[in-house]
């Protein structure tokens, strides 16, 4: 058994444990393997072990990998997305997790209309208000949701957050809880194009806590592929 296979078994056991602890069904949580910087061979290995959702941070890397790997992979754009790169991925990414401005959403909408597709997005929220992180401020979120909801060919499915790096995952519980709370509040407003029930939150160090707080997507890189000298996945 390879290291990736062993790691995936361990991650799966932890996901199940967190689901059991919080009274959730395992089917409510999707595991995204964060494959940024990883070679095709490692991604293929994870695919062979059953993973179908992979997350990339850079558009060029995503575009390079797509033709080299099986066509049934669901690619998630989880990194900061520049407007001039939108045209390359609107019809290729299963979901864009990192929409953090009206200008970006408008560009996604324009390109989606051109390509005759509907793009599922998550709005990235900087819940912890870290100056080093992307994401819309909590106070600006309701207005942004309302504005984006009026755009054609774009569908807000929920929210994403990148919690602070910490040795103690319990410290991030309030941020995960807050993200779900924000969605509940906004859903009460009955904004069209809402259906905001998906939450992309939790990474290698804190995904168990995120699941306990309602995560539907967890983004795990190091926990699957091993250390790579970077603490952002």
């Amino acid at each position: 058994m390879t290291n990736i296979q062993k790691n995936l078994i361990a991650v799966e056991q932890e996901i199940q444990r967190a689901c059991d602890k919080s009274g959730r069904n395992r089917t409510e949580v999707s595991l995204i393997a964060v494959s940024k910087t990883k070679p095709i061979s490692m991604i293929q290995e994870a695919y062979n072990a059953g993973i179908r959702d992979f997350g990339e941070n850079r558009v060029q890397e995503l575009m390079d990998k797509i033709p080299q790997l099986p066509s049934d992979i669901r690619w998630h754009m989880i990194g900061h997305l520049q407007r001039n790169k939108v045209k390359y991925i609107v019809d290729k990414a299963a979901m864009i997790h990192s929409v953090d401005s009206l200008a970006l959403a408008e560009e996604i909408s324009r390109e989606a209309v051109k390509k005759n597709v509907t793009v599922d997005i998550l709005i990235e929220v900087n819940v912890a208000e870290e100056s080093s992180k992307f994401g819309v401020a909590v106070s600006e979120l309701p207005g942004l949701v309302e504005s984006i909801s009026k755009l054609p060919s774009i569908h807000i499915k929920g929210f994403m957050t990148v919690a602070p790096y910490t040795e103690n995952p319990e410290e991030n519980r309030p941020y995960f809880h807050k993200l779900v709370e924000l969605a509940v509040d906004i859903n009460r407003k009955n904004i069209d194009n809402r259906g905001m029930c998906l939450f992309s939150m939790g990474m290698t160090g804190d995904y168990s806590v995120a699941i306990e707080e309602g995560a539907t997507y967890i983004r795990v890189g190091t926990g699957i592929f091993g250390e790579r000298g970077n603490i952002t996945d």
Side-chain angles (χ1 to χ4, degrees), residues 123-129 135-146 156-162 173-191 194-199 201 213-214:
I123 297 178
E124 182 174 1
V125 188
N126 189 349
V127 182
E129 300 179 347
V136 62
V138 169
S139 60
E140 297 171 7
L141 183 60
L144 183 61
V145 168
E146 194 143 8
I156 305 169
K157 303 292 282 187
F159 303 109
M160 181 262 244
T161 197
V162 179
R173 189 180 294 275
Y175 303 125
F176 300 142
H177 184 80
K178 179 69 173 176
L179 192 70
V180 176
E181 209 171 50
L182 287 167
V184 171
D185 291 343
I186 290 173
N187 278 327
R188 284 198 188 111
K189 299 179 188 293
N190 291 320
I191 298 169
R194 53 193 181 90
M196 290 168 279
C197 58
L198 299 181
F199 304 100
M201 58 189 195
E213 291 299 329

Side-chain angles (χ1 to χ4, degrees), residues 5 9 12 15 33 55 78 81 95 111 128 132 160 172-173 179 187:
Q5 288 173 320
I9 289 171
E12 180 57 45
I15 292 171
I78 61 175
L81 179 59
M95 185 170 290
E111 292 296 333
S132 61
M160 181 262 244
N172 284 337
R173 189 180 294 275
L179 192 70
N187 278 327

